[in-house]
Each structure stands twice: as structure tokens, then as C-alpha cells.
Amino acid sequence: MTLPPLITFKQVSKFYGRGEAMIRALDHIDLSISQGEFVAIMGPSGSGKSTAMNIIGGLDVPSSGEYFFQGIPTSSFNRSQLTLLRRHMLGFVFQGFNLLARTSAVENVELPLVYRGIDHRERRRLALAALEQVGLKGRESHTTQELSGGQQQRVAIARAIVTNPAVLLADEPTGNLDTRTSSEIMELITRLNRENGITVIMVTHEEDIAAYGKRLLRFVDGRLASDQVRVKEPDHVL
């Protein structure tokens, strides 16, 4: 039996405001993403890419059309069910890291497990394993203020993957990092996609960062202007 795509948009639109003041953030988008893909999303400001990401992440809902997750229409979800979707199936990584200040790396990574009601001993075991997976073994007790920007983003990635999500949503994950650190972070995300099978959906403004994706979606004026699958791996991707 063929499994449905992990994520499907069918004629998804998103409007803000009314009448002449109405903004059409997304305009009848058809899109499907399968388990294990690495998708980069690009487009100018106001193109709709962030709106699409917010809908995929259950942070917003379509004005019309339907968003399916694993073949299930999310319009049937109430607020609690959308929260469970985010908590159990999705991991989020942001440009600004969004870590708790004056809190250790391991405690930051444990936070999603607290919301799941997992006991302290198991939370600690899973958080330590996630930190080791992102290359931060030995930094577990460091607070965010004692870590570099690249290390903070690694903590954020560990926090995103500690629940073993189906999808990693990365919003400008290298936006606050220098070139070398950006490459290290992208190689880590690429490895998680290849070795762990995590589906990665990433918004970026940078062409060299988008090149890490196996597929590139370009949004313009609320529409999906192009959908390209990259055949050849770029030289910098290991």
C-alpha cells in the first residue's frame, strides 16, 4: 500500500484583512512533500514563504483550501490537536535560537520532554543523547551565555530533535551565524536528514544555504513560482 505524502497543500490560500485592504499571503498553493525530503524555500519578503511555513507548523491555518498531514485534513483538528501535532511530530529551529537564558544546555533540550510528561531521569538521558548527536558532548552544563552562536544553534537543533520528530522546520537557521559556522550547522542538518530520515523544510534568503536542500521551492507574490529537484549534490555537501 502506498503511503500518502507527509505534507500536502490542496489549493491553500491565506488572506489577511478585507476588501481593498486584503493581503493575499498565499494564493491557491498545491504542494506535496514526502517523508525524508530536504526542502529549501526561498522568496522575497512578502512572497508567502513564512506563511506557508507557519501553516505547516500548525501555527496558522488556511483561509481556504486544505492542509493534510500524513493524509489527514488538519481542518478537522481542534486547538489541542494542533498542539499535539506540534509537540509530537514537529521540531522547530529559529534564526534567534530561542533558548532560555541562564539555563544549561541540557535543561533547554529537556524542555519539550517536560511538556510530554516524561520523568526526569528519562528526560535527562534523551537530552544528553541529543546533545552528543549534535556534537556538544561535554557542554551539557554550560548556560547559553557561555556558548558561541554556533553552539547555541546546536542546542536549539538538539531541542528540536530530542522528541524524534517526523519533520524539522528550520526558519533561517544560519541567519545569525558567520560563513564557517553556517556551513557546520548545515552539514549537521544534512546529516540528520540523511542518517535519521528526518524530513527537513527550511526557509532561507541565501542561495548557498538553499543549495543544501534536495528540492527548492520559490515563492513569489503568494504563489509557488517554481519547484525544482536538484540532481547533482553541491561540492560542499558531504
Side-chain angles (χ1 to χ4, degrees), residues 181-218:
T181 307
S182 294
S183 296
E184 292 172 354
I185 291 299
M186 289 312 304
E187 287 166 9
L188 170 59
I189 291 174
T190 299
R191 177 165 55 82
L192 291 170
N193 169 252
R194 288 179 170 176
E195 297 180 5
N196 294 33
I198 296 176
T199 303
V200 176
I201 304 174
M202 175 183 67
V203 166
T204 181
H205 282 96
E206 302 171 73
E207 293 281 354
D208 59 330
I209 297 301
Y212 283 88
K214 300 172 187 173
R215 181 178 172 193
L216 175 60
L217 308 180
R218 291 187 187 272

Side-chain angles (χ1 to χ4, degrees), residues 64-96:
S64 64
E66 186 63 80
Y67 163 36
F68 296 84
F69 190 89
Q70 293 183 330
I72 301 171
T74 59
S75 61
S76 66
F77 293 0
N78 59 32
R79 185 173 297 180
S80 296
Q81 289 169 321
L82 282 173
T83 298
L84 289 174
L85 172 67
R86 292 192 297 269
R87 187 175 296 171
H88 290 272
M89 303 301 294
L90 308 175
F92 296 85
V93 177
F94 304 97
Q95 177 177 344

